[in-house]
Amino acid sequence: MVINLNGYDIFYEIKGNKDSIESVIMLNGLMMSTMSWYPLLGGLDNYKIYLLDFIDQGKSQKFDGKEYSQDLQKRILESFIHELDIREPHIIGTSYGGEVAIRYAIENSHKIKSLTLSNTTFCTNYLLQEIGRGWIDACEVENKRLFFKCTLSYIYSKEFYEERKDWLNTREEFFVKNLPSDWYEGIKRLIISAEDLEIPVEKLKNIKAPTMIISSDEDKLISKEDSKILNREIYNSRCVSIIGAGHAAMYEKPNEWVSIIKGFIENIGIDIKI
Amino acid sequence: MVINLNGYDIFYEIKGNKDSIESVIMLNGLMMSTMSWYPLLGGLDNYKIYLLDFIDQGKSQKFDGKEYSQDLQKRILESFIHELDIREPHIIGTSYGGEVAIRYAIENSHKIKSLTLSNTTFCTNYLLQEIGRGWIDACEVENKRLFFKCTLSYIYSKEFYEERKDWLNTREEFFVKNLPSDWYEGIKRLIISAEDLEIPVEKLKNIKAPTMIISSDEDKLISKEDSKILNREIYNSRCVSIIGAGHAAMYEKPNEWVSIIKGFIENIGIDIKI
Amino acid sequence: MVINLNGYDIFYEIKGNKDSIESVIMLNGLMMSTMSWYPLLGGLDNYKIYLLDFIDQGKSQKFDGKEYSQDLQKRILESFIHELDIREPHIIGTSYGGEVAIRYAIENSHKIKSLTLSNTTFCTNYLLQEIGRGWIDACEVENKRLFFKCTLSYIYSKEFYEERKDWLNTREEFFVKNLPSDWYEGIKRLIISAEDLEIPVEKLKNIKAPTMIISSDEDKLISKEDSKILNREIYNSRCVSIIGAGHAAMYEKPNEWVSIIKGFIENIGIDIKI
Amino acid sequence: MVINLNGYDIFYEIKGNKDSIESVIMLNGLMMSTMSWYPLLGGLDNYKIYLLDFIDQGKSQKFDGKEYSQDLQKRILESFIHELDIREPHIIGTSYGGEVAIRYAIENSHKIKSLTLSNTTFCTNYLLQEIGRGWIDACEVENKRLFFKCTLSYIYSKEFYEERKDWLNTREEFFVKNLPSDWYEGIKRLIISAEDLEIPVEKLKNIKAPTMIISSDEDKLISKEDSKILNREIYNSRCVSIIGAGHAAMYEKPNEWVSIIKGFIENIGIDIKI
């Protein structure tokens, strides 16, 4: 379905148990679309699950200018929740989606039931900016294989490369063949939009909703140090790491990833004190 | 309640939803008893939960000789499951309890629905043996405070010590005042019983039940390396680590700990492949 | 100076104390040349220091075909040591140079006085291959900035990016402007030449010379796990890690790097046993 | 030799090259004495090496009261350097000795040529205090074996326990048989003296002398986090970690340990900038 929000046509889907009074919103990482979540939904299908493509992702409208701040995506999310009247959602974001989720949550903590931040930072440091600029340059190259070699090798772990060689090759092949040139234009703007991410540490304290921080032991993009800072500053947060996974924890270790989130959101009301 | 198994009076309790057809058995760490689990059960109360004290723990019978192998506890567990006719339990063990669970699971994998091994090794290496022998010696000392200083400082993390100073002091105080001398005799035998733990790596492959391995980033007793070996050898296993926790992950980060397990056992039937 | 070895003109320089009877050979990483070592030589200038460019590096001859195995560089090194009659050198290799050093040392251990392997693996795993293939593709792109964004972001650590932004930019600028197109052709062949690196672990035992293994805590290309295997298999080896450094440890933390090596080679004769 | 400093008879020895104009002072860890350094001196014997026992260590005088602050040891060190007119020494401290060295260096940085801090913290956190109190209690127990089981298992790594079982047993045996009861009284006071160690992070900036920080990957007492803070705050510092070593890095990996220090102090004048 498509809804016009802040002047942009935003594509979304509703999955899981559409009659549930508990809602989950999944927020895409950079190169993802609503479809990317399909394999993972089985474990969460007792919830009403909202999937949406941000501007420049999947079937949502492309941005009609040169660049924008990720803050625009936050405003899209605000409107999305407001227009669809989603009450107290569990927001789950990975990477880029987690960043938008943080931007939203520091201003709207009271409106959400829980927050899950997977492989997410609160600050695009200079190394991340440079990696991003390399990816942007790669988008402009005729040889599309190059883009995937450069990005996937950062995103997946050594272990996953050993075990899932075929899957990675098929995926690369598919991407190379099927993604149109405006997809790459979108990716470039998405990367630029995250460059200004620099949430002051003290603002993280605004997030009062129960929060689960998921880190990966082998994430080459987001360090565990960043997850620890999120854990320290967000009062009501929990923090676990997935062993053997890289930045794409949700894909590399989907069972671990879904288990952690399911267990977390099912126990939201319970705060065990010993 | 008490049941006589293999000649020993074993104390157990049934908690949670007694009418549930899904059962969970929680297996104590060294210095624990059935009571130790009470604060954690809220998150799992839709299951029928069995708690039991091993020989030399809590209200179960003391061993009537000098020493025994942990294998005896495995046989107690076998009889317990058989006598109470517990069908396809989810077995959850922490540390000593996890070790007994591994011993059980390599022989009875088909009888269990899932296995959770928290802060558990499959081999009591020489350093662990020596730490244990120090604890045994400490049991014989009049000054009971010494025993707790020596053990708790290994079990809890630096972070927990900073944050929960009072709780740790109160706990130490309580232990020192309330534990009778035969408790220490039991602890000594329990430590000795684990000294022969040395499961050949290839036997771990016998465990076919879905398995969750929980590690802690700050565990001074069981290294993450051991968790990785369990994860590698147990085919259908998942592995996560709790950031900021020490060996007593279940007490230091109870919300993370229960979330991981709840999410895991609720999704047993679902094996996400991407 | 240039010497013809195995049919290739190989450029080399002699630095340090040319009258010293103790020789050091420094072996370049992928994108390095003899010049890359200049800033680091001050700390080792009591030795006679040999620098050389491998085939396809710096001022040495380019390869006259499509591709070759890194084994060719090993044979160049053999001839170099033989022709210049270098007796019992200390061989120091970083990354690609370390790989050539391993290939040489497993066959010629008795000929060398010591071996230093910095940020070196013994096996080009699939992830490394894919990263390399991305770099190869980047070589073919008109926009040379892309090549440096893709490579440098893997090579230097987050910390170094924060602290030495200007230096990195200047370096990128210099590279983009000054490197001729045949340099990129050489890099492509160098990367391919390392793809077949897969030394069986048991062959590492052939290395009997005292060996220092230098790892970096933040190396995104070579894991500490690999350094531990080298340390375990090479009997007379030592192993340290540089905290806060990435793959380019020698450039990121030059004082640490040179100190470790100097202390190591000055104490070769001393094997402390406690 | 014995010198009276601040009213205490302090035992010291001069080793290495007594004619060297460059001096090194080695500062003992808690349970060490001047003799503990003997096996390590071979690698540094071109320096004039001063070894000394602090109050309550080795052959130095015992303290004549109940307790004191580690600051007293700092004053002893001040007087030692002054009375023996040691000009610009290289100060090398491990653990307790490193703590005294920090206390000294923040006030006398201009008087020293370099500083090496091995397995050293600047703050006795609550967990360390509790571990110390356990050790104090263990000192009072008749069974001396207990004291060594409790301390050594914290000090040495798992790997060292596996490999050097016999050495550890012999050492334990020797200690149990040979250490007189006033040695334990001394240890108790030494532990208490370190309890007030809490150097404000900003005072570390006073240390301007070139500083080498040595950490161990498997140190159960001092975390790598502490070494990173020292590295960050001490402007002219370098920081390396020894892989596979525990708190007793100097004994577990003596070749690595001496190499790092030798390379560091031989290159003091050289500050490589790239």
Side-chain angles (χ1 to χ4, degrees):
Chain A
M1 279 167 292
V2 172
I3 184 171
N4 192 281
L5 299 170
N6 304 30
Y8 290 90
D9 282 341
I10 297 299
F11 175 79
Y12 70 99
E13 301 183 77
I14 302 178
K15 298 281 181 178
N17 176 0
K18 291 174 194 182
D19 299 325
S20 172
I21 54 163
E22 286 220 58
S23 299
V24 164
I25 305 175
M26 314 290 268
L27 299 179
N28 300 341
L30 186 72
M31 293 159 63
M32 292 168 61
S33 71
T34 59
M35 280 175 54
S36 312
W37 296 104
Y38 294 178
L40 300 164
L41 301 180
L44 297 165
D45 59 8
N46 45 337
Y47 296 92
K48 184 171 185 179
I49 302 173
Y50 292 87
L51 309 175
L52 78 156
D53 289 329
F54 287 123
I55 293 172
D56 284 328
Q57 286 187 326
K59 299 182 188 138
S60 285
Q61 191 177 326
K62 301 293 170 198
F63 185 73
D64 52 1
K66 189 148 172 285
E67 60 185 64
Y68 52 91
S69 159
Q70 207 176 38
D71 238 51
L72 173 59
Q73 310 281 22
K74 178 208 70 186
R75 293 193 301 274
I76 295 290
L77 179 60
E78 267 169 351
S79 303
F80 184 75
I81 291 170
H82 182 257
E83 290 299 316
L84 274 74
D85 195 25
I86 309 173
R87 306 282 172 88
E88 300 206 310
H90 301 280
I91 295 185
I92 298 167
T94 185
S95 197
Y96 188 94
E99 296 172 11
V100 176
I102 291 182
R103 289 179 189 256
Y104 178 81
I106 57 176
E107 295 174 3
N108 300 282
S109 179
H110 58 289
K111 291 190 190 154
I112 62 182
K113 191 146 182 195
S114 80
L115 179 64
T116 296
L117 303 171
S118 174
N119 304 84
T120 294
T121 186
F122 55 94
C123 175
T124 305
N125 62 49
Y126 186 56
L127 172 59
L128 283 177
Q129 285 176 21
E130 284 291 290
I131 293 172
R133 284 171 203 153
W135 294 0
I136 287 173
D137 285 355
C139 282
E140 308 208 338
V141 170
E142 192 94 24
N143 170 7
K144 291 314 176 196
R145 203 169 306 278
L146 170 56
F147 178 78
F148 294 101
K149 294 266 184 256
C150 288
T151 52
L152 298 187
S153 65
Y154 259 115
I155 291 170
Y156 290 92
S157 68
K158 184 175 71 163
E159 190 180 311
F160 193 79
Y161 263 85
E162 292 301 321
E163 288 171 8
R164 301 298 301 276
K165 209 178 272 207
D166 292 343
W167 185 85
L168 282 161
N169 285 338
T170 310
R171 198 169 165 82
E172 185 181 298
E173 212 63 40
F174 176 84
F175 281 165
V176 167
K177 285 207 186 112
N178 293 285
L179 292 170
S181 69
D182 69 347
W183 184 84
Y184 294 93
E185 292 306 309
I187 287 290
K188 282 159 62 177
R189 287 187 297 263
L190 285 162
I191 293 171
I192 291 168
S193 77
E195 279 203 0
D196 70 357
L197 181 73
E198 198 175 348
I199 311 282
V201 165
E202 61 275 11
K203 279 217 174 168
L204 296 171
K205 291 195 202 304
N206 292 356
I207 304 177
K208 313 262 199 250
T211 300
M212 171 59 82
I213 296 147
I214 302 176
S215 188
S216 298
D217 273 23
E218 312 291 334
D219 191 329
K220 292 190 286 281
L221 293 171
I222 308 298
S223 74
K224 199 178 272 194
E225 207 43 55
D226 281 11
S227 298
K228 287 183 184 175
I229 293 171
L230 288 172
N231 187 211
R232 192 185 67 209
E233 300 298 328
I234 301 177
Y235 176 70
N236 194 2
S237 69
R238 293 135 201 215
C239 187
V240 304
S241 187
I242 301 182
I243 294 177
H247 186 61
M250 56 176 274
Y251 266 25
E252 297 183 58
K253 302 279 182 184
N255 288 302
E256 280 86 343
W257 197 85
V258 171
S259 286
I260 291 167
I261 292 172
K262 187 183 180 85
F264 167 60
I265 63 182
E266 302 232 326
N267 272 354
I268 286 299
I270 298 167
D271 188 8
I272 307 172
K273 301 273 185 225
I274 61 131
Chain B
M1 278 168 293
V2 172
I3 183 171
N4 193 283
L5 301 170
N6 305 31
Y8 291 89
D9 284 340
I10 297 299
F11 176 79
Y12 71 99
E13 302 183 75
I14 301 177
K15 298 281 181 179
N17 176 0
K18 291 172 195 184
D19 299 325
S20 171
I21 53 162
E22 286 219 59
S23 299
V24 164
I25 305 176
M26 314 289 270
L27 299 179
N28 300 341
L30 186 72
M31 294 159 63
M32 292 169 61
S33 71
T34 59
M35 278 177 55
S36 312
W37 297 103
Y38 294 178
L40 300 164
L41 301 181
L44 297 165
D45 59 10
N46 43 336
Y47 295 92
K48 184 170 185 179
I49 302 171
Y50 291 86
L51 309 176
L52 78 155
D53 290 328
F54 287 123
I55 294 172
D56 283 328
Q57 286 187 325
K59 299 181 189 140
S60 284
Q61 191 176 327
K62 301 293 169 198
F63 186 73
D64 53 359
K66 190 150 170 283
E67 61 187 62
Y68 53 91
S69 158
Q70 208 177 35
D71 239 49
L72 173 57
Q73 310 281 21
K74 178 208 68 183
R75 294 192 299 274
I76 295 290
L77 178 60
E78 269 169 348
S79 303
F80 183 75
I81 291 169
H82 183 258
E83 290 299 316
L84 275 73
D85 194 25
I86 309 173
R87 305 281 172 88
E88 300 206 310
H90 301 280
I91 296 186
I92 298 167
T94 185
S95 196
Y96 188 93
E99 296 171 12
V100 176
I102 291 181
R103 289 177 188 259
Y104 178 81
I106 57 176
E107 295 175 1
N108 301 280
S109 179
H110 58 288
K111 291 190 189 155
I112 63 183
K113 190 145 184 196
S114 81
L115 178 63
T116 296
L117 302 171
S118 174
N119 304 84
T120 292
T121 186
F122 55 92
C123 175
T124 306
N125 62 49
Y126 186 56
L127 172 58
L128 282 177
Q129 284 176 21
E130 284 291 289
I131 292 172
R133 286 171 204 153
W135 294 359
I136 288 172
D137 285 356
C139 282
E140 308 208 339
V141 170
E142 191 93 26
N143 170 7
K144 291 313 177 196
R145 203 167 306 276
L146 168 57
F147 177 80
F148 293 101
K149 296 265 185 256
C150 289
T151 52
L152 298 187
S153 65
Y154 258 114
I155 292 170
Y156 291 93
S157 69
K158 185 175 71 161
E159 190 181 311
F160 193 79
Y161 264 85
E162 292 300 321
E163 288 170 8
R164 303 298 301 276
K165 208 179 270 209
D166 291 345
W167 185 84
L168 281 161
N169 284 338
T170 309
R171 197 167 164 86
E172 183 180 302
E173 211 62 40
F174 176 85
F175 280 165
V176 168
K177 285 207 185 112
N178 292 287
L179 293 169
S181 68
D182 69 349
W183 184 85
Y184 295 93
E185 292 305 311
I187 287 291
K188 283 160 58 177
R189 286 187 299 261
L190 286 162
I191 293 171
I192 291 168
S193 76
E195 279 203 1
D196 70 358
L197 181 73
E198 198 174 349
I199 312 280
V201 165
E202 62 275 12
K203 281 219 173 167
L204 296 172
K205 293 195 203 300
N206 293 356
I207 304 178
K208 314 264 200 246
T211 300
M212 172 59 81
I213 296 146
I214 301 176
S215 190
S216 299
D217 273 23
E218 312 291 334
D219 191 329
K220 292 190 288 280
L221 293 170
I222 309 298
S223 73
K224 197 178 274 195
E225 208 42 56
D226 282 10
S227 299
K228 286 182 183 176
I229 294 171
L230 289 171
N231 186 209
R232 193 185 64 209
E233 301 297 331
I234 301 176
Y235 175 70
N236 194 2
S237 68
R238 292 134 200 216
C239 186
V240 303
S241 187
I242 301 183
I243 294 178
H247 186 62
M250 57 177 273
Y251 266 23
E252 298 183 57
K253 302 278 182 185
N255 288 301
E256 279 87 343
W257 197 85
V258 171
S259 287
I260 291 166
I261 294 172
K262 188 185 180 81
F264 167 60
I265 62 183
E266 302 232 328
N267 274 354
I268 286 299
I270 299 167
D271 188 8
I272 306 171
K273 301 275 184 223
I274 61 132
Chain C
M1 278 166 293
V2 171
I3 184 170
N4 192 280
L5 301 170
N6 305 31
Y8 290 90
D9 283 342
I10 297 299
F11 175 78
Y12 71 98
E13 302 183 75
I14 302 179
K15 298 281 181 179
N17 176 359
K18 290 171 196 184
D19 299 324
S20 173
I21 54 163
E22 286 219 58
S23 299
V24 164
I25 305 176
M26 314 289 269
L27 299 178
N28 301 341
L30 186 71
M31 294 159 63
M32 292 169 61
S33 71
T34 60
M35 279 177 54
S36 313
W37 296 104
Y38 294 178
L40 299 164
L41 301 180
L44 296 165
D45 59 10
N46 44 336
Y47 296 92
K48 184 169 185 179
I49 302 172
Y50 292 86
L51 309 176
L52 78 156
D53 289 328
F54 288 122
I55 294 172
D56 283 329
Q57 286 188 325
K59 300 179 189 142
S60 285
Q61 190 176 327
K62 301 294 168 196
F63 185 74
D64 52 0
K66 188 147 173 284
E67 60 186 63
Y68 52 91
S69 159
Q70 207 175 37
D71 239 49
L72 172 59
Q73 311 281 21
K74 179 208 68 185
R75 294 193 301 273
I76 295 291
L77 179 61
E78 268 169 350
S79 303
F80 183 75
I81 290 170
H82 183 257
E83 290 298 317
L84 275 73
D85 194 24
I86 309 172
R87 305 282 173 86
E88 299 205 313
H90 301 281
I91 295 185
I92 298 167
T94 186
S95 196
Y96 188 94
E99 296 171 12
V100 177
I102 291 182
R103 288 178 188 257
Y104 178 80
I106 57 176
E107 295 174 2
N108 301 280
S109 179
H110 57 289
K111 292 191 189 154
I112 62 183
K113 190 144 184 196
S114 80
L115 178 64
T116 297
L117 303 171
S118 174
N119 303 84
T120 293
T121 186
F122 55 93
C123 175
T124 305
N125 61 49
Y126 186 57
L127 171 58
L128 283 176
Q129 285 176 21
E130 283 290 291
I131 293 172
R133 284 171 204 154
W135 295 359
I136 288 173
D137 284 355
C139 282
E140 309 208 338
V141 170
E142 191 94 25
N143 170 6
K144 291 313 177 195
R145 203 169 305 279
L146 169 57
F147 178 79
F148 293 100
K149 296 266 184 255
C150 289
T151 53
L152 298 187
S153 65
Y154 258 114
I155 292 170
Y156 292 92
S157 69
K158 184 174 73 163
E159 190 180 310
F160 194 78
Y161 264 85
E162 292 299 321
E163 287 171 9
R164 301 299 301 277
K165 208 179 273 208
D166 292 344
W167 185 85
L168 282 161
N169 284 338
T170 310
R171 198 168 166 83
E172 184 180 298
E173 211 63 40
F174 175 84
F175 281 163
V176 167
K177 286 207 186 111
N178 293 286
L179 292 170
S181 69
D182 69 348
W183 185 85
Y184 294 93
E185 292 306 310
I187 287 291
K188 282 159 60 177
R189 287 187 298 261
L190 286 162
I191 293 171
I192 292 168
S193 77
E195 278 203 2
D196 70 357
L197 180 74
E198 198 174 349
I199 312 280
V201 165
E202 61 276 13
K203 281 218 172 166
L204 297 171
K205 292 195 203 303
N206 293 354
I207 304 178
K208 313 264 198 246
T211 300
M212 172 60 82
I213 296 145
I214 302 176
S215 189
S216 299
D217 273 24
E218 311 291 334
D219 192 329
K220 292 191 286 281
L221 293 172
I222 309 297
S223 74
K224 197 178 276 194
E225 208 41 57
D226 281 9
S227 299
K228 287 183 184 175
I229 293 170
L230 288 172
N231 187 209
R232 192 187 65 209
E233 300 297 330
I234 302 177
Y235 175 69
N236 195 2
S237 69
R238 293 133 201 216
C239 187
V240 303
S241 188
I242 302 183
I243 294 177
H247 186 61
M250 56 176 274
Y251 266 24
E252 297 183 57
K253 302 277 182 186
N255 289 302
E256 279 86 344
W257 197 85
V258 171
S259 288
I260 290 166
I261 293 172
K262 188 185 179 81
F264 167 60
I265 64 183
E266 302 233 328
N267 273 354
I268 285 298
I270 298 166
D271 187 8
I272 307 170
K273 300 273 186 227
I274 61 132
Chain D
M1 279 165 292
V2 172
I3 184 171
N4 192 283
L5 300 169
N6 305 31
Y8 290 89
D9 283 341
I10 296 300
F11 176 78
Y12 72 98
E13 301 184 77
I14 301 178
K15 297 281 181 179
N17 176 359
K18 290 172 196 183
D19 299 324
S20 171
I21 54 164
E22 287 219 59
S23 299
V24 163
I25 305 176
M26 314 289 270
L27 299 179
N28 300 341
L30 186 72
M31 293 159 62
M32 291 168 62
S33 71
T34 60
M35 279 176 54
S36 312
W37 296 104
Y38 294 178
L40 300 166
L41 301 181
L44 297 165
D45 59 10
N46 45 337
Y47 296 92
K48 184 169 185 180
I49 302 172
Y50 291 87
L51 309 175
L52 78 155
D53 289 330
F54 288 122
I55 294 172
D56 283 329
Q57 285 188 326
K59 299 181 189 141
S60 285
Q61 191 176 326
K62 301 291 170 199
F63 185 73
D64 52 0
K66 189 150 171 283
E67 62 186 63
Y68 53 90
S69 160
Q70 208 178 35
D71 238 50
L72 173 59
Q73 310 281 23
K74 179 207 67 184
R75 292 192 302 272
I76 295 291
L77 178 60
E78 268 170 349
S79 303
F80 183 75
I81 290 171
H82 183 258
E83 289 300 316
L84 274 75
D85 195 25
I86 309 173
R87 304 281 173 89
E88 300 206 310
H90 300 281
I91 296 186
I92 298 167
T94 186
S95 196
Y96 188 94
E99 296 172 11
V100 176
I102 291 182
R103 289 178 187 257
Y104 178 80
I106 57 177
E107 294 174 4
N108 301 281
S109 178
H110 58 289
K111 291 190 190 156
I112 62 183
K113 191 147 183 195
S114 81
L115 178 64
T116 296
L117 303 171
S118 174
N119 305 83
T120 292
T121 186
F122 55 93
C123 174
T124 307
N125 62 49
Y126 185 56
L127 172 58
L128 284 176
Q129 284 176 24
E130 285 290 290
I131 292 171
R133 285 172 203 151
W135 294 0
I136 288 173
D137 284 356
C139 282
E140 308 208 339
V141 169
E142 193 92 25
N143 169 8
K144 291 313 176 194
R145 201 167 308 276
L146 169 57
F147 178 78
F148 294 100
K149 295 266 184 258
C150 289
T151 53
L152 298 187
S153 64
Y154 259 114
I155 291 170
Y156 292 93
S157 68
K158 184 176 71 164
E159 189 181 310
F160 194 79
Y161 263 85
E162 291 300 322
E163 287 170 9
R164 302 299 301 276
K165 209 179 270 209
D166 292 344
W167 185 84
L168 282 162
N169 285 339
T170 310
R171 198 168 164 83
E172 183 180 300
E173 212 63 39
F174 176 85
F175 281 164
V176 168
K177 285 208 186 110
N178 292 287
L179 292 169
S181 69
D182 68 350
W183 184 85
Y184 295 92
E185 292 305 309
I187 287 291
K188 283 158 59 176
R189 287 186 298 261
L190 286 162
I191 293 170
I192 292 169
S193 77
E195 279 203 0
D196 70 358
L197 181 74
E198 198 175 349
I199 312 281
V201 165
E202 60 276 12
K203 281 218 173 167
L204 296 171
K205 292 195 203 303
N206 292 355
I207 303 178
K208 314 263 199 248
T211 300
M212 173 59 82
I213 295 146
I214 301 176
S215 189
S216 299
D217 272 25
E218 311 292 333
D219 191 330
K220 292 190 287 281
L221 292 171
I222 309 297
S223 73
K224 197 178 275 195
E225 208 42 56
D226 281 11
S227 299
K228 287 182 184 176
I229 294 171
L230 288 172
N231 187 209
R232 192 184 66 210
E233 301 297 329
I234 301 177
Y235 174 70
N236 194 2
S237 68
R238 292 135 201 215
C239 186
V240 305
S241 188
I242 301 182
I243 294 178
H247 187 61
M250 57 176 274
Y251 266 24
E252 297 182 59
K253 303 278 182 184
N255 289 302
E256 279 87 342
W257 198 85
V258 171
S259 287
I260 291 166
I261 294 172
K262 187 185 182 81
F264 166 61
I265 64 183
E266 302 232 328
N267 272 354
I268 285 299
I270 298 168
D271 188 8
I272 307 171
K273 300 275 185 225
I274 61 133

